[in-house]
């Protein structure tokens, strides 16, 4: 929540408040009337958008959000259709910063995220026993995992 609360970008869902009780943690987020991108795709004829529409209405805005995150030293680590919400007016909003890290303050030594959207190098390392040694050899980059996940998602 610390990372998410500091973010201000037109394609990142706004976090208005957070609170906790004995049952769980609750986030008050920007209203997203159409749900997530995964649901949205399932409702489309053939489950797809035209290439032009996808590029301008979804891919470009989400890549701008990732560029913003990376410029601030933040790695999302779980980009996938379920974490792209559809805001007012159909604006795509990157959400779910639960696995995010500030790479300027933390060392990204673990592979987190959804296996289906990870880069092949990271997915293989996620299954391996000694990921730290593999990371050094493979030239692992935390932000590279976001770009790969975005490419697989979008």
């Amino acid at each position: 929540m610390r990372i998410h609360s500091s973010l201000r970008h037109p394609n990142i869902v706004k976090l208005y408040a957070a609170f906790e009780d004995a049952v769980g943690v609750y986030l008050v987020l920007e209203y997203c009337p159409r749900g997530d991108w995964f649901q949205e795709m399932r409702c489309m004829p053939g489950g797809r958008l035209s290439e032009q529409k996808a590029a301008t209405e979804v891919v470009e805005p989400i890549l701008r959000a990732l560029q913003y995150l990376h410029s601030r030293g933040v790695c999302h680590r779980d980009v996938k259709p379920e974490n792209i919400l559809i805001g007012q007016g159909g604006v795509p909003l990157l959400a779910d910063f639960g696995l995010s890290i500030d790479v300027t303050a933390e060392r990204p030594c673990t592979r987190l995220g959804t296996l289906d959207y990870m880069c092949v190098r990271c997915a293989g390392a996620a299954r391996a026993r000694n990921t730290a040694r593999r990371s050094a050899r493979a030239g692992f980059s935390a932000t590279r995992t976001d770009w790969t996940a975005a490419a697989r998602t979008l």
Side-chain angles (χ1 to χ4, degrees):
M1 289 181 289
R2 177 187 52 80
I3 289 174
H4 193 175
S5 66
S6 71
L7 302 174
R8 301 286 179 269
H9 188 275
N11 297 107
I12 293 176
V13 71
K14 290 177 184 66
L15 172 64
Y16 293 119
F19 58 94
E20 183 177 7
D21 67 11
V23 178
V25 176
Y26 305 91
L27 305 176
V28 180
L29 301 172
E30 178 177 355
Y31 180 59
C32 297
R34 289 170 41 190
D36 64 47
W37 186 242
F38 186 77
Q39 289 176 268
E40 188 81 1
M41 288 189 304
R42 293 179 74 199
C43 296
M44 292 177 193
R48 306 182 85 148
L49 280 175
S50 71
E51 186 176 320
Q52 178 64 35
K53 197 167 185 170
T56 58
E57 294 181 16
V58 182
V59 175
E60 187 177 325
I62 294 302
L63 291 180
R64 280 195 307 264
L66 284 175
Q67 185 176 33
Y68 167 79
L69 290 176
H70 296 169
S71 73
R72 296 179 54 95
V74 174
C75 182
H76 186 278
R77 303 200 310 175
D78 200 19
V79 178
K80 60 184 178 181
E82 295 90 331
N83 289 340
I84 298 172
L85 304 181
I86 310 297
Q88 299 287 352
V91 175
L93 301 168
L94 191 57
D96 193 351
F97 289 82
L99 298 178
S100 318
I101 61 168
D102 178 347
V103 295
T104 65
E106 300 175 62
R107 185 168 172 240
C109 59
T110 58
R111 304 300 190 284
L112 294 176
T114 305
L115 205 54
D116 290 342
Y117 299 100
M118 284 181 162
C119 63
V120 175
R121 187 182 301 177
C122 294
R127 293 183 189 106
R129 288 191 184 130
N130 192 345
T131 58
R133 190 168 34 213
R134 279 184 174 242
S135 294
R137 278 200 323 258
F140 173 71
S141 161
T143 55
R144 186 180 304 149
T145 63
D146 278 353
W147 293 119
T148 302
R152 288 176 174 232
T153 297
L154 306 168

